[in-house]
Amino acid sequence: MKSISEPKTTTVQLDIRDIHARVGGQHVLQGLSLTVEEGEFLTVLGHNGAGKSTLLRTVMGLVRAREGSLSFSGADITKLSTPQVVNSGISLVPQQRGYFENLSVGDNLDLAATDGRIDIGTIHELFPALAEREKQLVGTMSGGQRQMVALSIALLANPKLLMLDEPSVGLQPNLVERVMEVTDQINREYGITIIMVEQNIEKALRVAHRVAVVNRGRIALNKSTADVNPQEIWDLL
Ligand SMILES: Nc1ncnc2c1ncn2[C@@H]1O[C@H](COP(=O)(O)OP(=O)(O)OP(=O)(O)O)[C@@H](O)[C@H]1O
Ligand SMILES: [Mg+2]
């Protein structure tokens, strides 16, 4: 008799439970819950000011969750400092880019390098333009080139989970495409879980496995990208 194939097992990596967070006197996250599985590529959408960056910043410990809990690979990270969160295996490419403008590309990468599979050689393979511009100050580079530096810095931490906050913003169409391709490659080849906040809905749905929409401080929609109707998303933006 033919054996029945095993169901695909999935492991929850990030478990966000009922978190509340305040920013600038506003109650931004109002009981938000979300889980992300190991190896998954999740895109997070929502209107301007919905709380997407606050969500990523709360995971990083840059904004404190007033209520609720966060766990990563089964360990409670709710009260960890940001360096401890990074050490646990989570990296963020922030909306305000995380690099030193008055240092060269090479120095920025050297400062970010850690022991692990992703090293400066890997970065040069992913972004040959950065290999050619080792000595250039990041502050003198284009928006697209800076975005590659920001992404490289986050990758050099050798994260298990990489979060990107609107990585395609302000980039010309071919660079948006390149950022999506590289993010997809990082997810597939390195098995790194991805949470990508995006405003380019069409491109985000093409590359991600699942989509979550933030609305009124909570997750208002959470579906496989294969099952979602873009109109459902538009109705929440
Ligand atoms: N520096 C700040 N000072 C005061 N309030 C802030 C500040 N940053 C964010 N907020 C408040 O937090 C809310 C959520 O902001 P957040 O940056 O998380 O939104 P977002 O979904 O990332 O928006 P965008 O798509 O514009 O990046 C905003 O509506 C705003 O009221
Ligand atoms: Mg934002």
Side-chain angles (χ1 to χ4, degrees):
M1 195 172 77
K2 226 169 135 183
S3 64
I4 298 164
S5 63
E6 292 278 313
K8 199 178 157 210
T9 55
T10 51
T11 315
V12 170
Q13 187 181 53
L14 180 67
D15 190 357
I16 302 171
R17 283 202 196 172
D18 201 20
I19 53 167
H20 289 255
R22 302 184 73 89
V23 182
Q26 283 205 49
H27 191 178
V28 179
L29 303 182
Q30 304 186 22
L32 186 147
S33 296
L34 182 67
T35 57
V36 187
E37 284 161 11
E38 246 176 60
E40 192 174 28
F41 191 143
L42 172 75
T43 187
V44 175
L45 310 175
H47 60 77
N48 291 126
K52 307 178 297 295
S53 298
T54 304
L55 169 61
L56 302 190
R57 291 171 55 79
T58 306
V59 174
M60 291 309 292
L62 291 161
V63 171
R64 222 12 100 195
R66 299 271 189 110
E67 280 177 53
S69 67
L70 295 151
S71 78
F72 183 65
S73 299
D76 188 356
I77 60 163
T78 318
K79 295 200 160 62
L80 296 191
S81 66
T82 302
Q84 289 172 322
V85 173
V86 173
N87 281 336
S88 78
I90 308 179
S91 268
L92 170 67
V93 184
Q95 199 167 359
Q96 296 80 20
R97 311 300 175 212
Y99 45 68
F100 295 104
E101 294 200 5
N102 50 358
L103 291 184
S104 68
V105 171
D107 286 344
N108 266 281
L109 299 186
D110 285 342
L111 280 171
T114 62
D115 287 337
R117 189 172 162 204
I118 298 177
D119 59 15
I120 291 178
T122 321
I123 297 300
H124 287 170
E125 278 169 32
L126 282 172
F127 303 114
L130 296 186
E132 293 159 18
R133 292 170 181 274
E134 277 234 277
K135 302 259 177 307
Q136 188 171 343
L137 298 187
V138 174
T140 67
M141 296 174 94
S142 73
Q145 292 161 345
R146 289 176 192 220
Q147 180 59 306
M148 291 176 200
V149 174
L151 185 49
S152 300
I153 288 171
L155 280 175
L156 283 166
N158 278 284
K160 298 188 191 85
L161 165 64
L162 177 67
M163 305 194 293
L164 304 105
D165 198 348
E166 304 206 16
S168 73
V169 114
L171 302 186
Q172 64 192 52
N174 65 330
L175 284 179
V176 173
E177 204 56 49
R178 181 74 192 127
V179 166
M180 296 292 161
E181 268 172 28
V182 170
T183 311
D184 185 45
Q185 189 182 350
I186 291 163
N187 175 246
R188 284 170 193 273
E189 283 181 25
Y190 294 89
I192 296 173
T193 311
I194 306 282
I195 302 180
M196 181 178 75
V197 168
E198 255 300 330
Q199 29 106 45
N200 192 323
I201 300 176
E202 187 201 319
K203 292 223 163 27
L205 291 183
R206 191 137 44 84
V207 75
H209 302 130
R210 201 153 54 87
V211 53
V213 179
V214 179
N215 188 281
R216 296 173 188 232
R218 295 182 189 193
I219 299 296
L221 180 149
N222 184 350
K223 273 192 173 180
S224 150
T225 49
D227 299 335
V228 80
N229 170 355
Q231 190 58 45
E232 300 176 82
I233 297 173
W234 282 111
D235 290 344
L236 292 166
L237 300 183

